[in-house]
Amino acid sequence: MKYIVIIDQGTTSTRAIIYNTGGEVIAQSQEEFKQIYPQPGYVEHDPIDILSSVRSVISTALTKARVKYSQILCLGITNQRETVVAWDKQTGEPIYNALVWQCRRTKDRCLQLKQLGYEPMVQKKTGLQIDSYFSASKMEWILQHIDKAKSLLQKNQLCIGTIDTYLLWQLSGGKIYKTDYTNASRTMLYNIHELRWDEELCALFQVPVEILPEVCPSSHLYGYTDKEVLGFEVPISSIAGDQQSSLFGQCCFEKGDLKVTYGTGCFLLLNTGKEAYQSKNGLITTLNCQTVDTPSYALEGSVFVGGAVIQWLRDELHLISTSAESEVLAQSVDSTNGVYLVPAFVGLGAPYWNFDAEGLITGITRGTNRSHIVRAALEGIAYQVNDVSTSMTKDMNQQVHFIKVDGGASANQFLMEFQANISNASILSPLNKEVTALGAFYLAALQQKLYSGLEDIKQVNPIEKIYPPTMNEDKRKILLDGWNKAIKKSQYK
């Protein structure tokens, strides 16, 4: 038997998943690592902690699976996007902590660039809005504030890139300096139409184009792991940013295919095929996973607070003792009795992009009880997802009839039923809901010729459950009108 090892390097933990060649999970291991908050708005990771966690979970997963090094066919990587690491080309040592995608230290710089009128140019080339969320301003900050970065740059010894590039370099013993299209498309330095690092963007953020890694398709032979580093030498056959990997893992291969990942936030990606739509409705454009050099695109929208609102009900309000209890309470009442909960705890993401918006509960009466509030919280997740999917349909002028779902909150039956109703679309839930790692597995398996094409992959993870919409249009309109009023109130100053 041969096996594929997938590294799923996330924001708070790292996992290694061992798959057999049929796509079945044989074993996995997960390890959390430290979150570093030097001051308000700053978020960092220690790159050495990340690398240590990768090596640890691979070793543990292989031990659990009783798999020998000689049985590993290849390795794949899916990773947190936008997070930036800089390191010494000769020693491999990081010169500073990783600046995490959540880090807001460069927000003033991004606001300055917007005020100077650069956003239309940036959006046209990258599909992104100017924001500290993306990598470019983080790279610029390191190059300007870290003395070691300046000295290494002068000696041509500086490496800088996203987490995938850092892991590739380290796992290959310093032999591979590459990234993939999906991660490159999140840097705000990559021209997604011409598939190249853009000199004008690099000049704007003062990042020398020559220090950036080579960009390759997501399904690609990147090189080999170093025996001295991991104990074995195998091909690295795939790399993909986590949300694009999830889109691929959901088999959203056709134009119009939409997936939602319900995590701490909610991430929606809609495959737009060979056409890169420039959103007029608060979304961003990004590159899909590719197996070839021909680009394919997606519209993306992020909801800042999704499943986190359930944790808030449990940990701060103490209205529930477990996440599962939220479903029971929501189903115990016929409606919210007019209550709406807007979880704008850190502002509102797509399509509003209002960081000053505030969370609120509105519509409370003397008859309001905890079940109404819990139900309103779950409905609030679905309303936010619907806001983004509605923006996608407006941009493409095409109705969405099916939404594929994954992530922890997708196990909540009430939420899925309400999502189907409020979005007027069938919700499709796959058998294996861990589709982010599965996407990286598919990409690696394709590179290794285990599958003849995309149609073969569709058979691996069948749809387990379908939630069809059952709500009539009049009721849907009344509910959405109430939500839109609540959203306006959350943004009123």
Side-chain angles (χ1 to χ4, degrees):
M1 289 290 291
K2 289 288 187 178
Y3 301 90
I4 292 178
V5 178
I6 298 299
I7 299 167
D8 183 354
Q9 204 300 295
T11 307
T12 59
S13 68
T14 302
R15 289 194 307 157
I17 304 96
I18 314 293
Y19 291 90
N20 65 19
T21 52
E24 296 174 307
V25 175
I26 302 304
Q28 59 182 300
S29 175
Q30 185 169 359
E31 187 174 300
E32 294 186 355
F33 52 87
K34 186 179 179 182
Q35 306 295 301
I36 303 169
Y37 307 103
Q39 63 186 67
Y42 283 38
V43 188
E44 300 177 357
H45 292 155
D46 184 339
I48 295 174
D49 282 353
I50 290 177
L51 180 60
S52 175
S53 71
V54 167
R55 297 172 70 168
S56 174
V57 293
I58 290 175
S59 176
T60 302
L62 291 174
T63 300
K64 284 183 179 179
R66 298 182 179 178
V67 168
K68 299 175 182 177
Y69 295 153
S70 60
Q71 293 177 282
I72 301 173
L73 183 64
C74 67
L75 185 144
I77 297 171
T78 181
N79 58 284
Q80 56 167 312
R81 305 174 300 173
E82 299 97 17
T83 298
V84 172
V85 186
W87 65 98
D88 187 319
K89 185 185 293 185
Q90 286 193 345
T91 66
E93 290 293 315
I95 62 168
Y96 193 74
N97 281 339
L99 302 192
V100 181
W101 59 272
Q102 299 160 316
C103 190
R104 306 294 295 172
R105 75 184 64 195
T106 60
K107 67 177 182 178
D108 290 340
R109 168 62 169 153
C110 291
L111 180 61
Q112 177 193 49
L113 292 171
K114 284 187 177 201
Q115 292 171 339
L116 290 171
Y118 286 106
E119 185 151 79
M121 180 270 286
V122 171
Q123 188 172 32
K124 184 177 180 181
K125 291 186 175 193
T126 69
L128 309 175
Q129 300 184 23
I130 295 180
D131 196 274
S132 60
Y133 178 21
F134 305 110
S135 309
S137 61
K138 301 180 195 302
M139 292 184 180
E140 181 185 49
W141 188 93
I142 289 173
L143 292 173
Q144 290 188 352
H145 291 83
I146 307 304
D147 291 339
K148 188 72 179 289
K150 297 174 186 176
S151 64
L152 288 175
L153 184 61
Q154 290 178 345
K155 301 173 188 174
N156 194 29
Q157 286 179 218
L158 181 69
C159 290
I160 193 165
T162 44
I163 290 293
D164 57 302
T165 302
Y166 172 70
L167 292 180
L168 270 179
W169 179 273
Q170 298 294 349
L171 296 179
S172 68
K175 298 182 184 71
I176 310 173
Y177 191 47
K178 298 177 182 179
T179 187
D180 88 304
Y181 291 146
T182 66
N183 280 291
S185 74
R186 312 297 296 188
T187 61
M188 216 157 56
L189 298 174
Y190 195 69
N191 190 313
I192 63 173
H193 309 287
E194 300 176 8
L195 298 186
R196 63 176 179 83
W197 297 116
D198 190 281
E199 288 84 356
E200 186 177 10
L201 293 171
C202 288
L204 178 64
F205 288 98
Q206 304 173 76
V207 178
V209 68
E210 61 270 13
I211 70 169
L212 296 170
E214 178 187 349
V215 188
C216 305
S218 306
S219 178
H220 178 77
L221 178 57
Y222 284 84
Y224 294 82
T225 61
D226 187 273
K227 192 172 183 179
E228 297 300 316
V229 176
L230 274 185
F232 56 91
E233 183 178 299
V234 295
I236 299 173
S237 296
S238 71
I239 290 177
D242 52 11
Q243 297 307 320
Q244 286 100 325
S245 187
S246 170
L247 188 73
F248 202 84
Q250 284 280 23
C251 296
C252 292
F253 303 140
E254 307 298 326
K255 183 176 180 178
D257 286 350
L258 170 63
K259 76 90 188 179
V260 182
T261 298
Y262 295 85
T264 301
C266 297
F267 295 88
L268 290 80
L269 268 76
L270 177 74
N271 190 333
T272 64
K274 303 302 177 189
E275 189 170 353
Y277 287 79
Q278 187 163 326
S279 178
K280 297 177 182 177
N281 295 282
L283 306 174
I284 58 177
T285 308
T286 196
L287 282 169
N288 287 334
C289 297
Q290 271 102 246
T291 57
V292 292
D293 289 317
T294 307
S296 167
Y297 300 92
L299 283 170
E300 178 174 336
S302 303
V303 172
F304 291 158
V305 177
V309 74
I310 302 174
Q311 296 172 318
W312 177 71
L313 293 175
R314 182 192 66 199
D315 300 338
E316 272 68 50
L317 295 193
H318 303 291
L319 293 182
I320 56 176
S321 55
T322 66
S323 297
E325 191 180 352
S326 65
E327 182 176 346
V328 176
L329 285 172
Q331 290 173 331
S332 71
V333 288
D334 294 333
S335 72
T336 66
N337 208 20
V339 175
Y340 288 88
L341 194 161
V342 181
F345 303 150
V346 288
L348 289 170
Y352 304 101
W353 295 107
N354 186 339
F355 294 99
D356 294 321
E358 296 177 344
L360 63 81
I361 303 174
T362 184
I364 295 173
T365 65
R366 179 63 181 82
T368 300
N369 61 39
R370 69 172 181 143
S371 295
H372 296 127
I373 293 173
V374 170
R375 179 170 176 136
L378 290 177
E379 289 187 0
I381 299 172
Y383 283 126
Q384 291 180 100
V385 167
N386 183 66
D387 287 343
V388 178
S389 65
T390 298
S391 295
M392 289 173 166
T393 62
K394 287 177 181 176
D395 280 333
M396 288 189 67
N397 194 26
Q398 178 181 330
Q399 185 63 39
V400 170
H401 298 292
F402 301 96
I403 302 175
K404 295 185 175 181
V405 299
D406 59 86
S410 68
N412 188 305
Q413 183 172 322
F414 169 80
L415 175 58
M416 294 301 99
E417 289 173 349
F418 189 79
Q419 188 72 73
N421 284 328
I422 211 64
S423 298
N424 196 26
S426 291
I427 302 299
L428 311 182
S429 180
L431 183 63
N432 179 357
K433 294 172 179 57
E434 295 292 342
V435 296
T436 301
L438 192 60
F441 164 80
Y442 290 154
L443 291 161
L446 283 167
Q447 195 281 320
Q448 290 290 320
K449 312 295 185 189
L450 294 182
Y451 298 108
S452 59
L454 301 182
E455 287 303 315
D456 283 354
I457 289 175
K458 290 180 179 179
Q459 316 306 316
V460 177
N461 189 25
I463 298 299
E464 181 184 41
K465 193 160 188 176
I466 299 175
Y467 299 90
T470 57
M471 184 180 289
N472 67 59
E473 190 58 38
D474 288 342
K475 184 176 181 181
R476 183 182 302 113
K477 185 179 185 306
I478 291 169
L479 290 173
L480 286 171
D481 284 347
W483 169 255
N484 290 329
K485 289 177 184 175
I487 277 284
K488 286 178 182 175
K489 288 179 183 177
S490 77
Q491 298 180 83
Y492 178 76
K493 287 287 187 182

